[in-house]
Amino acid sequence: MKRLFLLLLCLTPCWAALGDEGMWLFNQVPRQLLHERYQFDATEAWLNHVLKASIRLNSGGSGSFISRDGLLISNHHVGANALQQLSSEKKNYLKDGFYARTRDQEIRCLDMELLVLQSIEDVTTRVNAAVPADADPAAAFAARRKIIATIENESLAQTGLRSDVVTLWQGGAYHLYRYKRYTDVRLVFAPEQQMAFYGGDPDNFEFPRYDLDICLFRAYENGQPAHIADYLRVSPEGPRDGNLVLVSGHPGRTSRLLTEAELESVRDVALPFRLKYLKWEETMLDAWSARSEENARRAKQMSSSVKNNRKRGDGQLAGLLNPAVMADKDKEESAFKARLANRPQFADALAAYDKIAAAARILDQQFIEYNLIEAGQGFNCESFRFARTLLRAGQERPKPNGERLREYSDAGRATLELALMSEKPIYVDFETITLADSLTFLACQLSTDDPLVQRVLAGKTPGVRAAELIHGTKVRDIDFRRQLYVGGAEVVDAMRDPMTELARAVDSEARALRKTFDEQNEVKSQAHAALARAQLALDGNAGYPDATFTLRLAFGTVEGIQALGTELPPFTTFSGLYRKVEQMKERPPFDLTPRWVRRKGSVNMETPLNFISTADIIGGNSGSPVVDRAGDFVGIIFDSNLQALPWDYAYSDVQGRATSVDSAGILEALEHIYRAQPLVREMVIGKASP
């Protein structure tokens, strides 16, 4: 952590530099800027092609089609959940990898959903018109929820496409996104995890990197490979130093437009609690995994995710502890307030800062309880998540569509049911240990005297109570879940399953916390909308909105970095990988799998493996295609370096870089190490061989 903080201090003088900053909406791409800076014309045809080739995965990442026969590529760590679900004690696809040499060997994933954006429509006027100007926060939130549900349901009925109204600029705008869904998704290829995550945690968020962090799937429709009109041709050459590259992906969340008061809340409340929870989880997972190889297999995907998020959180907190970040935010706000002063037409914008600060204070007071109870961190197991969904589905579905909790709306029903009826394996021993650990965390945070804690533990220790609940519940049985879901509240109530009863026991507190959060976030949304309107009026441009796990376009150049007084080139090669193996004397996690040792002589050692660029990315961009001016696939985002972790709050290209697997390296590995020539041909020519 000390090393990370020192690295971040090096950025202090340069936070204001814009460089290639921007996660741009596809319907508001800065075409003039791209033309003036890079002589690149982002035509409607180019944008539409890349948009429809880009994919959002419900596992939390991005991907892209690379063949007209439904072949798609994402990261190994994005596909890790699917690999884990398909694995068993006898076959560990996450660890050992997989390759379907024929179409009939492709394995259907259990609950994977792909979303491909088809269109974007601005519905801001309609949403805002439905909210009375003088409504209190509760009434305003209810009105906004109702109109959003109405718009989504109308769109679903008219188009058959999944329809999501997305909040942009923290409430400054609302856009309707329509998606084509694919739920028959089959695993085609995955490397061994050691090669996808070479260097392990020590190399995570570092550069140089030597990772083959890819995973190939195929989308099917009606039992046949989907016919894809818009796919990306895979470039055998990859990019060159100094080339313009563009990234089409789904960045999860940024906080660049937050006010100073909101950033202080993140720094002082949200991130410290999140890190405490992650480090608590990490300790439990490490201890449990060390007891047996099978334990380690069952916990691997969750453990990797926790470690990655913990390291990312450390970097984000270090960024906010950098005085320059907060000083720049204070300077920016003071300057904008000065522009608003003495202008009556902007009185609502000037007052917005105080409203946001007041709402943030209220949210801070209940932040820990909200995350433990409503977000479910105090009940961390799949059994509880199933039980709460079943309980609330029975309660919510009889309500009018516009009055339900949003995840139970008609527009989101198909996605909810896909997750609820998943046949993924759930292990009783792992469920018991994760629930016991989270119940202990719940008691430590709220105290054993808390009435809710006493109600949850029912006079037992967390370990005993967890074992009782996990062994007593039937919600892991898919037929039982289907019975409760179809039967609704009456059947859920009659069954009195111990896990649904636990969800019921905390539901009134959970809903009250959610109500507070919804209403205070409505206050903040209205205030941010006023700020966005003022900026638009004064500057004629509101820039780009914070990330919302919706499709964005970023761009930058392939460019190395200065490190310890020397220039690090932007590319790593296969020869660099093998040199590192020798330097580290094959010590884990710097060892190679047998296949990579055995076929070393077959590889062109000068082929690029990974590269870095100045493209503006964040978590959720994992798996995003990196394309060139022609729209060809030249790489895939899989990480950033340490200096890019504070990009959540402010972008700087002085040292921050996005890290990608090179398309040339992907093809080289597939052909000469994995002997997957049919895949190489399909990726290069864009269709499977007859």
Side-chain angles (χ1 to χ4, degrees):
M1 183 66 183
K2 181 178 180 182
R3 179 187 173 211
L4 174 59
F5 186 68
L6 290 173
L7 285 168
L8 292 169
L9 286 178
C10 296
L11 300 182
T12 298
C14 306
W15 281 105
L18 294 179
D20 290 316
E21 177 182 354
M23 300 175 182
W24 301 93
L25 301 174
F26 263 74
N27 54 338
Q28 295 180 13
V29 169
R31 298 186 188 187
Q32 183 176 350
L33 186 153
L34 280 166
H35 178 78
E36 292 176 352
R37 186 178 298 176
Y38 292 111
Q39 296 74 56
F40 173 67
D41 293 320
T43 64
E44 281 294 329
W46 188 96
L47 290 168
N48 189 60
H49 172 68
V50 173
L51 178 149
K52 290 185 177 178
S54 302
I55 301 168
R56 189 174 91 179
L57 288 80
N58 64 349
S59 52
S62 302
S64 57
F65 286 117
I66 52 173
S67 157
R68 71 183 65 176
D69 294 317
L71 189 68
L72 64 110
I73 188 168
S74 187
N75 288 150
H76 185 277
H77 73 265
V78 173
N81 190 54
L83 295 170
Q84 181 97 350
Q85 290 178 6
L86 294 172
S87 296
S88 66
E89 191 171 358
K90 294 181 179 179
K91 288 189 176 182
N92 190 342
Y93 297 124
L94 183 63
K95 176 178 179 290
D96 299 329
F98 174 80
Y99 172 40
R101 294 190 175 276
T102 59
R103 190 68 55 78
D104 59 1
Q105 293 178 341
E106 296 176 358
I107 307 174
R108 183 164 182 168
C109 300
L110 298 181
D111 59 7
M112 183 175 284
E113 179 185 47
L114 310 178
L115 299 179
V116 181
L117 185 60
Q118 302 298 300
S119 66
I120 306 171
E121 180 183 347
D122 190 335
V123 293
T124 306
T125 301
R126 186 177 176 190
V127 170
N128 288 337
V131 181
D134 57 350
D136 62 28
F141 172 76
R144 199 177 304 276
R145 178 173 63 182
K146 183 176 181 179
I147 187 60
I148 286 174
T150 299
I151 293 170
E152 290 175 340
N153 205 35
E154 287 176 356
S155 175
L156 175 64
Q158 291 168 3
T159 66
L161 300 173
R162 169 168 164 167
S163 301
D164 296 342
V165 172
V166 178
T167 302
L168 301 167
W169 286 281
Q170 276 75 16
Y174 297 87
H175 290 184
L176 174 63
Y177 281 59
R178 297 186 179 94
Y179 298 95
K180 180 176 176 61
R181 298 174 67 240
Y182 295 91
T183 56
D184 184 352
V185 185
R186 306 187 192 184
L187 176 64
V188 176
F189 171 85
E192 311 91 329
Q193 187 172 47
Q194 172 59 17
M195 302 317 302
F197 193 44
Y198 179 82
D201 192 57
D203 265 8
N204 196 18
F205 299 114
E206 299 283 354
F207 193 78
R209 295 290 293 276
Y210 304 94
D211 292 15
L212 188 68
D213 194 350
I214 64 166
C215 208
L216 297 172
F217 300 92
R218 194 180 304 279
Y220 279 70
E221 287 187 292
N222 302 316
Q224 298 296 319
H227 178 74
I228 306 300
D230 289 287
Y231 63 90
L232 305 177
R233 189 188 77 89
V234 177
S235 167
E237 296 83 21
R240 296 289 181 265
D241 192 356
N243 279 179
L244 167 68
V245 290
L246 303 102
V247 177
S248 174
H250 301 79
R253 182 185 64 104
T254 54
S255 304
R256 298 176 187 177
L257 299 182
L258 297 189
T259 65
E260 186 174 8
E262 289 174 296
L263 284 183
E264 288 170 350
S265 174
V266 173
R267 181 194 64 196
D268 300 337
V269 179
L271 274 176
F273 175 78
R274 184 164 183 259
L275 284 168
K276 181 189 293 186
Y277 179 71
L278 289 170
K279 290 171 183 178
W280 181 287
E281 273 195 309
E282 185 175 5
T283 300
M284 175 271 294
L285 291 167
D286 285 347
W288 196 73
S289 298
R291 295 176 194 168
S292 73
E293 186 174 343
E294 177 59 10
N295 281 6
R297 184 193 71 79
R298 294 180 182 186
K300 182 63 176 178
Q301 197 274 331
M302 181 186 291
S303 181
S304 297
S305 177
V306 166
K307 290 178 187 295
N308 186 67
N309 287 327
R310 180 261 305 159
K311 195 167 186 179
R312 185 186 302 277
D314 282 339
Q316 291 170 337
L317 183 57
L320 288 181
L321 290 172
N322 182 349
V325 176
M326 301 305 288
D328 278 356
K329 177 60 70 171
D330 181 70
K331 182 179 179 181
E332 172 192 309
E333 279 192 14
S334 296
F336 194 59
K337 287 176 183 177
R339 297 175 69 193
L340 299 175
N342 301 317
R343 297 189 183 192
Q345 69 271 35
F346 297 134
D348 59 341
L350 196 56
Y353 290 102
D354 289 338
K355 291 181 179 179
I356 291 170
R361 286 192 294 271
I362 294 172
L363 294 173
D364 286 348
Q365 292 167 5
Q366 299 190 16
F367 182 84
I368 292 176
E369 289 84 354
Y370 177 87
N371 281 275
L372 290 171
I373 301 168
E374 169 58 18
Q377 291 179 350
F379 315 97
N380 182 25
C381 63
E382 289 295 332
S383 298
F384 180 82
R385 287 185 277 273
F386 282 144
R388 169 173 277 178
T389 300
L390 291 166
L391 176 74
R392 287 188 170 177
Q395 297 168 341
E396 294 294 312
R397 283 190 303 172
K399 299 177 182 177
N401 186 47
E403 296 178 15
R404 301 175 197 161
L405 297 177
R406 190 171 183 187
E407 60 268 31
Y408 298 95
S409 69
D410 289 341
R413 176 175 291 186
T415 295
L416 182 144
E417 291 176 350
L418 178 69
L420 182 62
M421 301 306 166
S422 170
E423 297 181 12
K424 63 186 176 185
I426 304 172
Y427 303 102
V428 171
D429 53 352
F430 191 47
E431 288 277 281
T432 303
I433 196 72
T434 58
L435 180 57
D437 185 72
S438 57
L439 289 177
T440 304
F441 187 75
L442 175 77
C444 289
Q445 297 303 305
L446 300 185
S447 91
T448 54
D449 295 330
D450 186 274
L452 181 141
V453 173
Q454 292 183 343
R455 196 185 321 141
V456 167
L457 295 180
K460 303 176 178 69
T461 65
V464 170
R465 180 64 167 144
E468 175 184 85
L469 288 162
I470 295 299
H471 286 275
T473 186
K474 296 180 181 179
V475 297
R476 291 187 300 280
D477 181 272
I478 189 170
D479 291 330
F480 183 75
R481 294 200 301 272
R482 187 173 288 111
Q483 180 184 1
L484 267 59
Y485 183 70
V486 173
E490 183 177 347
V491 173
V492 173
D493 295 348
M495 289 295 184
R496 300 192 67 81
D497 181 89
M499 198 62 79
T500 60
E501 291 307 300
L502 174 64
R504 189 192 310 278
V506 301
D507 203 47
S508 61
E509 286 93 342
R511 285 178 177 269
L513 288 162
R514 180 158 176 170
K515 184 174 185 294
T516 298
F517 266 63
D518 287 341
E519 291 173 3
Q520 295 308 312
N521 281 319
E522 172 67 25
V523 172
K524 294 205 300 181
S525 291
Q526 292 185 17
H528 274 287
L531 291 173
R533 288 193 298 270
Q535 183 179 1
L536 185 62
L538 291 171
D539 300 329
N541 189 334
Y544 63 92
D546 268 324
T548 53
F549 197 38
T550 50
L551 191 63
R552 304 293 181 90
L553 185 72
F555 54 84
T557 55
V558 177
E559 187 176 321
I561 53 174
Q562 289 282 339
L564 302 176
T566 62
E567 178 74 23
L568 278 179
F571 293 95
T572 63
T573 62
F574 283 82
S575 62
L577 167 64
Y578 285 102
R579 279 197 304 272
K580 184 156 188 175
V581 173
E582 293 176 5
Q583 292 167 359
M584 303 305 292
K585 302 186 186 304
E586 301 183 26
R587 292 192 303 270
F590 300 101
D591 53 324
L592 295 175
T593 60
R595 181 186 284 110
W596 282 69
V597 174
R598 189 169 62 249
R599 293 175 177 164
K600 175 181 177 181
S602 302
V603 177
N604 179 348
M605 289 292 176
E606 299 313 307
T607 303
L609 183 52
N610 295 164
F611 68 88
I612 52 176
S613 70
T614 60
D616 191 357
I617 64 156
I618 203 74
N621 272 118
S622 291
S624 298
V626 184
V627 301
D628 61 13
R629 295 169 182 265
D632 289 345
F633 178 98
V634 296
I636 182 171
I637 295 288
F638 74 93
D639 207 355
S640 68
N641 61 358
L642 286 169
Q643 297 92 328
L645 291 178
W647 283 2
D648 194 351
Y649 312 106
Y651 171 89
S652 170
D653 62 4
V654 176
Q655 291 278 20
R657 293 292 184 272
T659 312
S660 305
V661 189
D662 196 295
S663 62
I666 294 170
L667 296 175
E668 185 74 17
L670 286 173
E671 182 166 7
H672 297 291
I673 293 179
Y674 294 97
R675 307 290 169 85
Q677 285 84 358
L679 276 181
V680 173
R681 287 194 294 272
E682 180 174 2
M683 293 165 69
V684 172
I685 67 175
K687 64 179 181 179
S689 300

